[in-house]
Amino acid sequence: MPGCARDTPTFVGPWRGPHPSTRPRRTVAHVTETNLTEHTESPEGTGAEAPLASRRVLLKLSGETFGGGNVGLATDVVRRIAQEIGDAVRQGVQVAIVSGGGNFFRGAELSRAGLDRARADYMGMLGTVMNCLALQDFLEQDGIKTRVQTAITMGQVAEPYIPLRAIRHLEKGRVVIFGAGAGMPYFSTDTVSVQRALETHCDEVLMGKNGVDAVYSADPRTNPDAQRLAHVTYTDALVQRLGVMDDTALALCRDNDVRMRVFGLEEPGNVTRALLGEKIGTLVTTH
């Protein structure tokens, strides 16, 4: 399992994203003081050096993040994360978010306690929506227009998940938060994060972790020889059981050449840095 440390990462990994022919081309408008010009963005390159208006990312926030490590909602933590997301959005980054629900319900744990697994997973999906609404409220308070889309229809509080509508929201500078998981039991929010990133054509998946600032070869809290990894492949993560995310999500990333960065959430400003493309944490790629 990955552990927690506070050293600063130095690894700068190569871009290993999808081949240009497999990614859609987006048209980006550039406004200057004297004229309005438009050009078609090259699909190559999504690092911090690229224009921020061209960067679209998916941020995965675990339920543990929303609860501050406890059951319920840690409003001070959620407010800070919302402000850091807002700082990146104001600089032109298009941000989609998937929320976990483990601070309220975990389907697998409820199942072990005797509940039907499918019903327990649906309870967990409802927990993710509560987190989505809390984050939306803090983002709106910070002046960031936000839409919540859910895989289970609940029209009074959220839009249904419609990929093209989500993309349009992102293009307009709105944050889009995806809730209720995949709308089906037995799928983790890690897997949903990858699927949503692929369907909305995100350039990178950012896995924000509690108690972890990177991926390690072992748990440094119990193994003094654990090494902090600047870069790891999905195959190595699967074979070595590094605990980056569940195996289904890792395989989906590997098979679709997804670029991912794992970073710690506790350090103030880390969310903004990750969204802007700074090289923090661990880079995870197919090759």
Side-chain angles (χ1 to χ4, degrees):
M1 293 291 293
C4 179
R6 294 295 179 186
D7 51 314
T8 302
T10 57
F11 178 82
V12 179
W15 164 245
R16 298 291 185 181
H19 189 275
S21 64
T22 66
R23 295 182 56 206
R25 297 171 70 84
R26 299 199 299 273
T27 299
V28 181
H30 296 266
V31 180
T32 67
E33 292 181 353
T34 58
N35 67 335
L36 177 66
T37 61
E38 188 175 87
H39 79 281
T40 301
E41 173 206 348
S42 167
E44 298 276 10
T46 57
E49 299 80 6
L52 291 181
S54 69
R55 179 170 168 81
R56 180 182 298 166
V57 297
L58 187 137
L59 173 65
K60 166 63 195 311
L61 297 173
S62 67
E64 183 182 17
T65 300
F66 285 87
N70 300 307
V71 176
L73 193 70
T75 55
D76 56 334
V77 175
V78 181
R79 185 186 299 276
R80 175 182 64 82
I81 290 174
Q83 292 171 344
E84 294 183 13
I85 293 170
D87 290 342
V89 172
R90 280 184 281 269
Q91 296 184 57
V93 182
Q94 298 178 15
V95 181
I97 302 170
V98 167
S99 164
N103 54 316
F104 292 115
F105 304 104
R106 288 188 181 275
E109 293 179 2
L110 291 173
S111 176
R112 288 193 291 270
L115 273 72
D116 174 77
R117 173 60 192 270
R119 188 166 291 110
D121 279 354
Y122 282 118
M123 293 172 65
M125 293 176 211
L126 298 178
T128 71
V129 177
M130 289 190 280
N131 287 334
C132 289
L133 296 176
L135 182 58
Q136 179 188 32
D137 191 74
F138 285 122
L139 284 167
E140 294 275 357
Q141 289 182 35
D142 196 41
I144 303 300
K145 297 299 182 183
T146 308
R147 299 292 184 268
V148 174
Q149 291 194 350
T150 57
I152 298 174
T153 303
M154 44 188 76
Q156 289 181 292
V157 297
E159 299 177 359
Y161 172 59
I162 302 175
L164 291 178
R165 180 181 290 179
I167 291 171
R168 184 60 176 153
H169 286 321
L170 293 169
E171 291 172 343
K172 289 184 175 181
R174 300 165 182 157
V175 171
V176 181
I177 311 174
F178 300 119
M184 299 177 291
Y186 303 102
F187 286 90
S188 72
T189 50
D190 285 348
T191 302
V192 173
S193 299
V194 180
Q195 190 278 331
R196 297 294 191 255
L198 289 168
E199 198 163 19
T200 56
H201 311 304
C202 291
D203 302 309
E204 191 171 36
V205 174
L206 303 172
M207 296 290 294
K209 297 286 189 178
N210 264 17
V212 178
D213 73 336
V215 179
Y216 287 78
S217 60
D219 189 342
R221 293 167 294 188
T222 59
N223 186 345
D225 297 323
Q227 296 182 344
R228 190 176 190 273
L229 305 175
H231 173 256
V232 66
T233 67
Y234 293 113
T235 298
D236 288 342
L238 282 164
V239 172
Q240 299 175 32
R241 314 298 297 176
L242 297 179
V244 177
M245 53 175 31
D246 70 81
D247 291 354
T248 302
L250 285 171
L252 187 61
C253 287
R254 181 191 60 192
D255 295 347
N256 290 277
D257 207 8
V258 173
R259 177 187 174 100
M260 179 188 299
R261 189 167 293 277
V262 179
F263 70 100
L265 289 167
E266 291 91 345
E267 184 71 23
N270 257 11
V271 174
T272 302
R273 286 191 282 270
L275 291 172
L276 292 177
E278 291 189 24
K279 309 304 189 285
I280 63 176
T282 298
L283 178 66
V284 191
T285 60
T286 300
H287 303 290

